[in-house]
Amino acid sequence: MVEKDDIKVSQMMETIRSNLNLPEKVYFFDTTLRDGEQTPGISFTLAEKKLIAKALDEAKIDIIEAGFPVISSGDYECCKMIAGMGLDCEVIGLARLLKKDIDSVVDASMDSIHVFIATSDLHLKNKLKMTRNEVLDRITEMVGYAKDHYKIVEFSAEDATRSDLDFLIKANMTAIEAGATRINIPDTVGTISPTAYGHIIKNNREAFPKDVRISVHCHNDFGLAVANSLAGVENGAAQIQTTVLGTGERAGNASFEESVMSIYAFYGIPMNINTKKLYPTAKLVESFCGSKFRIPTQAPLIGRNAFRHESGIHTHAMIQNARTYEPITPSLLGINRGDEINQILADSIQFGKHSGRHALKAKLENMGITFTDDQFSRIMNRIKAIGDKGHQIMEEDFMAIVRDEIGDLPKEEKYVILDELTVLTGSVTPTSTVKLKIKKNGDYETIIGSSIGVGPVDASMQAILKIIKQDLEFELLSYNIDAVTGGTDALGRVFIELMDKKTQKIVTASATNEDVVMSSVLALLNGMNKLIKATKENSK
Ligand code: KIV
Ligand code: ZN
């Protein structure tokens, strides 16, 4: 247990540790880009995935699961791209126990492979339509095939926690005999308690050779994913599969932030993670998740309330010793609280109009963000423009701007660009006039359209629709608006989902501006550009 000025947890942890079968080191396997991306409503762009992988690598993650390459060309591209980034961590790809899946991981040039097959009778009967013996034969054959290509083969028995324990051990042992070097034991549907999960891990640990690492992968259906992962570690698991912010299928996976800090605080087991990168990484991922997924105010460790204190008794005691009501200091997670105990936006940075190019470059590079000269100038100009209006930029505003510019299409790939927007609103019928530049035969043509609407956003959307309807017929599936930070001068970020009526292709887009009508129009144009680009690529 770590007991320093910056952390103090229960003494009982010290007492209990000696009774546990703790590993010498805990490794972290991140699956934000694979299981995390299976979160309903979350879909990262390739550029965002690259930034997430870079941030995780800088946090000293051990393994990144970049995707499931056989599933789609997008996943394949992402796997190949991340495997080629030259990261320090291992980049692993997921595959079913099928030759075509394994070949796809090999083709994407990934460092290692994670293969899986279900072992519960429920899955065998209803999904795989296989007998137990057929599953064992498949493991021998396909783990062996994976081993022909890779030194590191991680095997997962899907739905392990609802499998017969003897059969689970047999399946895992079969994988080890065929060449698996790591065994992951997933609680696929989050259907177990910590004690029972610990029992499963202990029995597997006792059956396996010592050099085979056991990994845990827990889903949060009952809110126990982190607790179950810790129970696994207490019984000899040396690897935890996590996702940033606990993203993942249904209720998600064990959160990276909570798992790392628990290992650090409760057990003090050595690990490679730089805990100071936890908060910046969490905020980076949050900024890519769209409006449907925000860090809850009450979230442990990284929520806005995690280090806020209301009661006078608490704040008074904390002035004497901050550990009285705070188990750890926020700076351990990379949250810079400064001097004020009640400061909510501990991570605010004072980027004003005088911010220099050097400071901006250093900040972007520190965050692992790669950018073109054009993207850099656009970010700089937007920061300056906000500073010129006398506003300060908070970290969230900054991330929203970066996301807009990095995730945006390069100018030459844009089919439609906003030239001017004039809106009349108040006690008159809302009216909008939009001037767009539309690419026709390689040149931009200026077209103006006007419309009334129920409000200024609606009027602007209708005006754009009028201009664009010959070129693209689309449906606005969803529209959400968010104030990036509080206050009337906050940036407004608009998220939309658009569908091309002809091809049924759906894209998500967003835009951020101090003026919400502008954010709405820019988000719509971003979405339209993405749809038109996708249609053109498909017709090639
Ligand atoms: O939850 C699960 O079982 C999985 C496996 C593919 C490891 O995600
Ligand atoms: Zn999973």
Side-chain angles (χ1 to χ4, degrees):
M1 186 180 68
V2 181
E3 203 190 320
K4 300 194 215 110
D5 285 351
D6 55 6
I7 191 154
K8 180 141 181 71
V9 295
S10 165
Q11 267 93 321
M12 194 51 75
M13 285 311 304
E14 194 89 56
T15 316
I16 214 85
R17 271 186 72 170
S18 50
N19 301 330
L20 304 173
N21 184 21
L22 296 175
E24 280 169 15
K25 184 163 180 178
V26 172
Y27 296 86
F28 282 86
F29 174 123
D30 179 86
T31 181
T32 309
L33 301 181
R34 200 274 300 167
D35 217 325
E37 225 210 0
Q38 289 170 225
T39 312
I42 291 186
S43 154
F44 302 121
T45 63
L46 263 188
E48 290 166 348
K49 287 182 180 180
K50 198 169 171 183
L51 293 177
I52 295 171
K54 188 100 185 3
L56 284 163
D57 195 46
E58 280 176 5
K60 299 271 174 275
I61 194 82
D62 298 289
I63 305 154
I64 289 179
E65 187 164 57
F68 194 169
V70 82
I71 279 300
S72 69
S73 56
D75 250 46
Y76 177 82
E77 280 310 311
C78 170
C79 287
K80 205 170 166 116
M81 176 190 71
I82 293 176
M85 279 172 71
L87 301 176
D88 290 336
C89 65
E90 176 187 325
V91 180
I92 200 165
L94 185 67
R96 289 166 296 189
L97 284 182
L98 296 173
K99 193 168 175 299
K100 65 171 180 171
D101 284 36
I102 297 169
D103 289 343
S104 166
V105 173
V106 175
D107 289 348
S109 310
M110 317 213 59
D111 297 334
S112 55
I113 190 160
H114 176 197
V115 290
F116 74 99
I117 191 165
T119 49
S120 69
D121 289 333
L122 185 67
H123 278 232
L124 262 58
K125 182 166 174 245
N126 296 288
K127 186 180 79 173
L128 296 177
K129 321 264 184 237
M130 286 169 85
T131 64
R132 288 185 180 188
N133 279 337
E134 284 167 346
V135 168
L136 295 178
D137 288 346
R138 177 75 67 80
I139 293 173
T140 303
E141 188 191 353
M142 284 297 138
V143 171
Y145 182 67
K147 190 69 183 179
D148 290 342
H149 298 86
Y150 285 107
K151 211 165 127 208
I152 301 173
V153 177
E154 180 151 342
F155 171 76
S156 281
E158 194 190 12
D159 209 19
T161 52
R162 290 189 298 181
S163 304
D164 171 74
L165 182 56
D166 289 336
F167 180 63
L168 172 67
I169 295 174
K170 200 166 183 178
N172 285 336
M173 284 304 296
T174 306
I176 292 169
E177 279 150 22
T181 45
R182 299 197 296 246
I183 298 292
N184 181 47
I185 302 186
D187 182 25
T188 303
V189 198
T191 53
I192 201 162
S193 73
T195 310
Y197 190 60
H199 179 79
I200 292 178
I201 302 298
K202 180 170 182 283
N203 278 272
N204 276 274
R205 180 68 281 166
E206 283 167 4
F208 298 171
K210 282 215 160 30
D211 60 341
V212 173
R213 186 190 296 171
I214 295 191
S215 166
V216 291
H217 175 108
C218 298
H219 278 270
N220 208 26
D221 299 66
F222 282 77
L224 292 171
V226 174
N228 284 338
S229 302
L230 299 184
V233 171
E234 290 188 354
N235 285 280
Q239 178 176 295
I240 311 184
Q241 295 200 355
T242 57
T243 55
V244 177
L245 305 178
T247 46
E249 278 282 5
R250 306 179 309 283
N253 290 63
S255 115
F256 176 48
E257 307 74 51
E258 294 167 30
S259 304
V260 166
M261 286 318 290
S262 301
I263 293 297
Y264 182 81
F266 297 138
Y267 310 100
I269 310 173
M271 58 180 168
N272 294 327
I273 304 295
N274 174 359
T275 63
K276 290 194 188 293
K277 296 284 183 186
L278 292 175
Y279 185 69
T281 309
K283 294 302 282 182
L284 180 81
V285 173
E286 184 197 32
S287 77
F288 297 153
C289 283
S291 65
K292 290 186 187 135
F293 192 99
R294 306 309 298 258
I295 299 174
T297 307
Q298 298 297 120
L301 304 169
I302 53 166
R304 277 160 66 103
N305 282 359
F307 296 99
R308 280 177 88 189
H309 304 271
E310 235 356 269
S311 140
I313 299 172
H314 286 204
T315 41
H316 184 71
M318 283 190 55
I319 290 164
Q320 307 300 316
N321 182 338
R323 295 293 74 73
T324 48
Y325 286 101
E326 257 181 13
I328 57 175
T329 188
S331 63
L332 258 184
L333 291 134
I335 301 175
N336 304 314
R337 182 167 56 180
D339 294 325
E340 266 191 74
I341 281 167
N342 281 321
Q343 193 177 326
I344 311 160
L345 296 163
D347 58 330
S348 67
I349 53 157
Q350 308 289 303
F351 254 124
K353 66 174 185 164
H354 300 297
S355 312
R357 296 178 76 82
H358 286 308
L360 176 61
K361 224 170 222 159
K363 168 121 187 114
L364 291 170
E365 280 165 3
N366 259 343
M367 293 167 81
I369 295 175
T370 41
F371 45 84
T372 61
D373 287 349
D374 183 41
Q375 286 166 333
F376 179 78
S377 298
R378 290 203 310 254
I379 295 169
M380 187 80 214
N381 290 343
R382 286 185 65 179
I383 289 169
K384 286 213 160 128
I386 296 175
D388 283 342
K389 290 179 191 158
H391 301 162
Q392 272 187 353
I393 300 176
M394 310 303 267
E395 184 79 26
E396 282 88 342
D397 298 324
F398 176 68
M399 279 316 304
I401 291 171
V402 171
R403 188 201 177 283
D404 264 12
E405 298 303 341
I406 304 279
D408 200 10
L409 292 175
K411 196 173 167 205
E412 59 280 6
E413 286 186 25
K414 284 187 180 168
Y415 168 79
V416 50
I417 298 172
L418 180 69
D419 201 14
E420 239 175 61
L421 171 71
T422 316
V423 178
L424 194 65
T425 187
S427 56
V428 292
T429 305
T431 311
S432 173
T433 304
V434 182
K435 198 171 171 192
L436 298 181
K437 282 186 170 164
I438 299 186
K439 210 177 204 171
K440 297 256 156 94
N441 307 320
D443 288 323
Y444 283 104
E445 204 175 277
T446 303
I447 308 185
I448 301 179
S450 286
S451 177
I452 54 165
V454 290
V457 172
D458 182 50
S460 306
M461 299 274 186
Q462 298 303 333
I464 293 173
L465 270 177
K466 269 192 192 169
I467 300 177
I468 210 82
K469 72 170 182 278
Q470 292 99 328
D471 303 279
L472 176 71
E473 273 206 73
F474 62 84
E475 192 179 331
L476 184 62
L477 298 179
S478 70
Y479 170 91
N480 284 290
I481 185 155
D482 235 10
V484 180
T485 47
T488 51
D489 61 353
L491 291 183
R493 186 161 177 206
V494 168
F495 300 86
I496 57 159
E497 263 181 315
L498 277 189
M499 186 179 72
D500 184 332
K501 280 191 178 164
K502 252 194 232 148
T503 62
Q504 307 280 299
K505 166 112 189 126
I506 298 175
V507 294
T508 57
S510 69
T512 314
N513 198 282
E514 304 98 292
D515 179 328
V516 291
V517 184
M518 274 295 276
S519 313
S520 308
V521 166
L522 291 172
L524 184 65
L525 297 183
N526 287 346
M528 284 168 26
N529 278 318
K530 279 188 179 177
L531 271 184
I532 292 169
K533 182 170 188 266
T535 313
K536 278 196 180 146
E537 276 170 6
N538 278 349
S539 64
K540 272 181 196 163

